[in-house]
Amino acid sequence: MAETFTLNVNGASRRVTVEPETPLLYVLRNDLSLKGARFGCGLGQCGACTVIIDGAAVQSCDVPVSAVGDRAITTIEGISTPGKPHPLQQAFVDEQAAQCGYCATGIIMSAKALLDRDPAADEAAIRAALAKNLCRCGTHNRILRAIRRAQRELQR
Amino acid sequence: MNGGKQQANPGLPGSLETNRRLDRWLKIGRDGTVTIYPGKVEIGQGILTALAQIAAEELDVALERVQVAVASTSHSPDEGTTSGSRSIEESGVALRFAAAEAREILLARAAERLGTTIEQLAVADGVITARSGGSIAYWELAGEDLIAREATAGVKPKSPAEHRIVGQTAKRRDIPAKVAGAPAYVQDLALPGMRYGRVVRPPSYQARLASFDERETRALPGVVAVVRDGSFLGAVAAREEQAIRAARALWRSASWNEASTKLPASGIHAFLLNAPAQDTVISEKVDAKARSRAARSLEATYTRPFIAHASIGPSCAVAQLVDGRYTVWTHSQGIFPLRRDLAKALGVAEERITVIHAEGAGCYGHNGADDAALDAALLARAAPGRPVQVQWMREDEFAWEPYGSAMVVKLGAALDGAGSIVNWRHDVWSHPHSARPGRSGGANLLAGWHLARPLNAAPPRDVPQPAGGSDRNAIPLYDFPNQRVAKHVVTEMPLRVSSLRSLGAHANVFAIESFMDELAAASGVDPLEFRLRHLKDPRARAVIDAAAQAAGWQAGQRGDGVRGRGVGFARYKNLGCYVAVVAEVAVEHEVRVTRAWAAVDAGLVINPGGLVNQIEGGILQAISWTLKEEVRFDRERVTTRSWDDYPILTFAEAPPVEVVLINRPDETAKGAGEGAQGPTAAAIGNALCHALGTRVRDLPITRERVIGAL
């Protein structure tokens, strides 16, 4: 049976009425119209659906909405302000770090969770933080350059 | 193609030949914009940005003014499929000539209005100014329908020396919205009243639905419809997760007859060699005198497994049926060919179907995109009036997409006493590499084969030379006095196969370029020198030289048992871009590519940044194919179902790649999206051999294969 949940999404309180086992991904995409997290595998293997929950990168396809509670959910739509992209988003544009771009938002969220926690993360740490994110177009090097560029910007 | 005889003006360049109206290609807006209407679509390769550059260049308008219309069967020129790295040559050339002609027409009208001649006019960002004074902008002429006429291609486009926009890196215009998380893909479409559908695929290719029980499913929350037509089974629900749950319930209730399935488990290469085949000799050169110099001969056999497109975003479509008319949103590479097959499968006239392109995740060839469009249309019938979105589940994408064919390549060569190749033989065994929709004699849409009144698949057909399908790049670009190249096409296909980026070129180039290294070693000659010795084409020589220089290639350098480097080269299709790749590997627990360098000659470069991005991506994807990828199956079923079963290159494994561009403004612009696949595979195999002295001829080059070869 459907239940009502109050979620903390991008700093706002959002009420949704869904069945408890509904993956968070579908609540974000279809109830809250936040389409930036995307379905890739439904098994937490590819990272296209990554969001940040209380500071940690989480695969939202794999988390039932009932397990989230009142923890703070941040999605790709919540990291920029109108007209001002987050440094990671700007760096992806500057480095042209996308081909199809389907994986990009999940990767940005994984990178943000890392840089929030460890602003001086080295190359190996960045690569390790993306262990659960797959890119099929082969844009890896541009993505890594973009993350390092954003890191410099964030540290200024 | 139209019949040649009736054509008033045969031989127009690129896709202008088949789409002759100028206003099919571009429109001048009163609001200061130019809209272009390419029939080619964005699949992550950045093509729309390059096409906008071409139009802006010829029209003399700022790039920002050029908007690109979404491709739709309602207004776009029919350019077939976006495939084969042909978009620059077909759509780009058409737009180049159409825009040049449109500019001339606008100038002629401006000259009339300003009382002067075209020669006395100049254009800057769409504003036409007469030397004698007075000006008029394109936008002021927009109402006159001046370009509502047939193209003549009689206006010569600019010479490369005049280019100011073409040849400069233009940033992709779609990236800001994509990284912002804005709706960008067909998966993100949210239409009013939209329902969600999911399809229950059979467990294996030949399986037929024996029975199922829909009572449990119908009782689930949100379920709107259960659809069964033969062995096609699906559900429609109010919410996406409800559709998924409904499909799972249907799956649990269903029983299938699978008995007839007999896949050649682990023996696909033996199957290819032994099955009935269509044999064609595609190239033969005879020089008996040279042949008589043969002093020694070598043979080797190379193989490739089935490789999956493995898009990150599973295939998806939205369809809506209103008053007997379908509208379908799809990430298909060919909206018109798809419409032809949809019409057959749905039993309606093509005119009753509108197919609109909406981007998907990168596809790298013919994946499930078209199939999902039929799935959505079939389920939309059960929810009349409402849009129905269908996205495949990951396991369906892996199990049901058409793979890149497994292949066997046998090579033989004879060397003379001086280390020159005097005879060459190449035999390739493969399934046909193209089973896209839109063919005559059947319909190539998955669900169509499962209907109660099933559609037959169109007879498989290999792409003929000169582009070639299974034999793409089978004819060596090297100059050998004797050669015989034959393809053996096996049309009985135990697994579903169609076009994967580069078609047969991946395996053919892997084989040829590996064998060139084997022959070089047998001759005691550096592999780079050995190639150049057999290669006259100056553009080919130039990319090999440039890649070697970028990599700091030293002739005679020895591998040290851990590290090695190798080279691979091809001119894609023997008609397209030239690519040479040098790869450096380290053999540790696994074979790892530690660096790669490439040199590329794609003729006139339109967007250097976009070209580099395509080559970088091609190299990294080819590293993944070469070291890791293989679709697995047993006697009954495809067993590759998830990313755990099908690992691809990870961020931890991606090596740095350096790309050198050789711009040739006076040569035809060529696409480059597929040019790196074969050279990369060969460079890795050659680097491994350089490191260890051992060659692996079967892809993927895994740890087990290396141990086996040692």
Side-chain angles (χ1 to χ4, degrees), chain B residues 447-536:
Chain B
W449 308 336
H450 295 148
L451 298 177
R453 292 178 57 194
L455 292 159
N456 294 324
R461 195 188 65 179
D462 205 35
V463 182
Q465 287 288 327
S470 57
D471 54 341
R472 182 163 293 180
N473 279 94
I475 300 173
L477 205 68
Y478 299 103
D479 301 287
F480 303 138
N482 291 282
Q483 72 184 28
R484 187 171 189 278
V485 180
K487 67 169 169 179
H488 312 279
V489 178
V490 177
T491 55
E492 185 194 340
M493 298 192 276
L495 274 71
R496 187 181 181 204
V497 167
S498 189
S499 305
L500 172 70
R501 190 177 194 173
S502 84
L503 308 192
H506 176 238
N508 285 315
V509 173
F510 169 67
I512 291 171
E513 290 293 294
S514 296
F515 200 48
M516 285 299 282
D517 261 41
E518 299 198 47
L519 291 161
S523 309
V525 180
D526 184 75
L528 209 75
E529 160 63 22
F530 187 74
R531 281 172 175 75
L532 295 174
R533 205 185 260 190
H534 292 91
L535 197 51
K536 292 199 196 89

Side-chain angles (χ1 to χ4, degrees), chain B residues 214-350:
Chain B
E214 65 184 79
R215 277 171 302 179
E216 186 204 341
T217 304
R218 288 219 178 256
L220 288 171
V223 173
V224 173
V226 172
V227 175
R228 190 245 174 122
D229 184 341
S231 293
F232 177 82
L233 185 61
V236 181
R239 296 180 52 91
E240 194 163 13
E241 73 277 5
Q242 291 170 338
I244 294 168
R245 198 180 322 143
R248 290 195 175 131
L250 285 173
W251 168 257
R252 281 193 305 272
S253 83
S255 63
W256 308 80
N257 292 326
E258 289 194 79
S260 64
T261 304
K262 286 281 179 285
L263 301 183
S266 72
I268 187 60
H269 298 118
F271 173 85
L272 284 171
L273 291 170
N274 293 313
Q278 297 166 3
D279 306 315
T280 316
V281 175
I282 57 166
S283 171
E284 198 153 27
K285 281 201 270 181
V286 179
D287 177 344
K289 201 170 149 200
R291 186 173 233 158
S292 70
R293 294 203 306 272
R296 57 185 300 199
S297 60
L298 264 69
E299 288 181 355
T301 301
Y302 304 85
T303 68
R304 170 184 113 143
F306 292 104
I307 297 176
H309 299 79
S311 279
I312 294 293
S315 297
C316 180
V318 179
Q320 186 172 19
L321 173 60
V322 179
D323 297 334
R325 303 187 73 89
Y326 291 88
T327 305
V328 178
W329 290 263
T330 171
H331 56 115
S332 167
Q333 290 174 276
I335 53 174
F336 287 95
L338 169 60
R339 186 169 70 160
R340 288 199 281 282
D341 276 12
L342 283 175
K344 292 177 201 169
L346 297 169
V348 298
E350 279 183 51

